[in-house]
Amino acid sequence: MLRLPFVLLANLLLGLRLLLGLPFRLVAARRRPAWVRFRLAGSLPYRPGPGPRLRLKGMKVEPATVTSLEAFGRALRVLAADPRVEGILLEVEGLALTDARREALLALLADFQAAGKRVVSWAVMVDTNEYPVLGAADEVLLAPMGRVELVGYAAEATVLGEAFGRVGIHAHFARRGDYKTAPEFFTDGKVSDIQRQTLETFLDERFGVLVEALRRSRGKTPEEAKALIDAGPYSAKRALEAGLVDGLVHQADLGAHLGLEGRKQDGGDEAPVPTFGAYLATHAFPPVRWLPLRRRPRLAVVDVTGIIVPGSGGAGRFAAADTVVKALRKAGRDPRAKAVVLAVNSPGGSGLASEQLLEAVKRVAKQKPVIAYVDQVCASGGYMAAIGAREIWSAPHAVVGSIGVFIGKFEYGGLLEKLGVQRTTLTRGENAAFGSNSRGFTPHERAALEREVEESYQSFLELVAQARGRAKEEIHERAEGRVYSGLRARDAGLVDRIGGFEEVCRHAMEEARQPSDDFEIVRYGDRTRSKLSLLKLLSGAAHPTLYAFCMASWSLQGSFGTSRRMD
């Protein structure tokens, strides 16, 4: 009841502000722009996050910058309904999107174009990941000094075994699954055929998507599209000749190119194309987001981002089990949170920590619907956490699977000897020095190691089989470290559906019997950032530790332009 008077007061103030500005907007309505400008930059979150309460000087965001896909979609719907609007101008600058977010952005643009509006795109320079967005426009423009770095995709696999051996470090690991190639990073002297085949499969899929994008947007045959990619990169002149862009225009001339009135600014340059904020100022009654009298239902989003490690800590490059578990418990206890989306973007990590997350997810799933969603990577220990959800959704080309485990340690005895350090290990008990870094495993210790890794692998298979409703033998055929794209993981029965983040959120609320688009999203967990390398994670263990980690996902993320952010 205490909420009602505050909501009424806030809506009254919004109404008064709308009323007081009406005369000015009526005057400005005569100059309502036919074109509106948006700037696409950065990673474009699905939903806007909490902004800083205080912006320091020099941190001001360019007014045309799109802050989230949700906000961009709302703006496009308003513009699509206005018969006086001809279209939008997109300025593409440093866009770093995952495949899933790029597809969501392209879907918004396609809906806008289907309403009879035009999209004109412009950039100074774009790369392979940005070009599909630039090329989706009805007219593609480039700065005369610009470049189109369209060259395709590459993935680099690295192994350190020989380098470690030269300095006296030896990695001793046991694994289950021929496709569980993570230990090869530390043990092998060359990239294995299996690792190569895994990366090439993903490269083939992503390259096919790029070829199809060129075919649709530029009217090319698949062979012509491949030839365009092979002939890159392009200067502005060559891009125009090849048909990758439709014209070369300086930024200051964009307004004139669109046929806008050539009003001059104080500096003598042409006035820029108006932003969406300037457009709203010409509406007599612009759309207003009134505060609802009743609280909107809440959807909880819990992130599992980065390498999964035991303990607590910040987010970013690793997901600390205790921190994520607390976030899950908080989401489960929140009476306003009707459902939970477990947003997994993890290549895995500690086997123990991954099982902690699985148990916590299963507990929350007993209280309310939990849907797991993978935008980029849900592999190994990350997949173990996801199977606790009621359903698993994936982006089409996310990295999924890698069901397998490995365990081991690093031996520094050779390095210590080179440094003149003498160390003698005395034991009582056959496996007392199991975790010693001074030497490798004895035959007795190796046998114990093999037993533990086999037991852990069988346990992993049982957990997945139970969660996916399949026989253990069926899961084994799909496991042994095999890595799938989202589409192939669906066909293999490892995920339930292919979709986007907004679609997953709506489905989660429907599962909670809240079938409405009018809900708020609240993220739970520690969002502060911290860094942790895999080498530090593994070498810092005082005892041989079980890992469920997918090394291939790192190479794949770097090759497709998504390594700038892992959230």
Side-chain angles (χ1 to χ4, degrees), residues 333-415:
R333 290 194 300 263
D334 186 350
R336 287 187 57 203
K338 305 303 181 182
V340 179
V341 169
L342 186 75
V344 182
N345 179 23
S346 172
S350 161
L352 173 62
S354 299
E355 282 209 59
Q356 282 184 267
L357 298 190
L358 170 60
E359 179 62 24
V361 173
K362 290 165 69 174
R363 285 183 178 275
V364 177
K366 292 178 181 179
Q367 306 170 40
K368 57 190 66 176
V370 178
I371 310 296
Y373 178 64
V374 49
D375 180 282
Q376 297 180 65
V377 180
C378 180
S380 207
Y383 184 75
M384 182 185 290
I387 61 175
R390 179 179 296 185
E391 296 179 25
I392 302 176
W393 287 52
S394 172
H397 303 289
V399 179
V400 181
S402 190
I403 300 170
V405 296
F406 64 95
I407 186 172
K409 67 177 181 179
F410 292 96
E411 174 200 344
Y412 305 122
L415 176 61

Side-chain angles (χ1 to χ4, degrees), residues 182-227:
E184 294 175 1
F185 179 74
F186 304 104
T187 60
D188 288 18
K190 65 177 183 177
V191 176
S192 67
D193 289 339
I194 289 178
Q195 177 81 324
R196 183 187 299 273
Q197 292 167 8
T198 298
L199 296 178
E200 287 187 346
T201 299
F202 276 89
L203 286 172
D204 288 341
E205 288 189 12
R206 302 295 178 88
F207 189 73
V209 172
L210 178 61
V211 169
E212 176 62 19
L214 284 171
R215 187 196 67 78
R216 289 197 313 263
S217 63
R218 308 313 293 172
K220 304 293 184 181
T221 65
E223 291 72 22
E224 290 172 334
K226 292 177 183 178

Side-chain angles (χ1 to χ4, degrees), residues 48-55:
R53 296 183 179 180
L54 177 66
R55 280 195 187 280

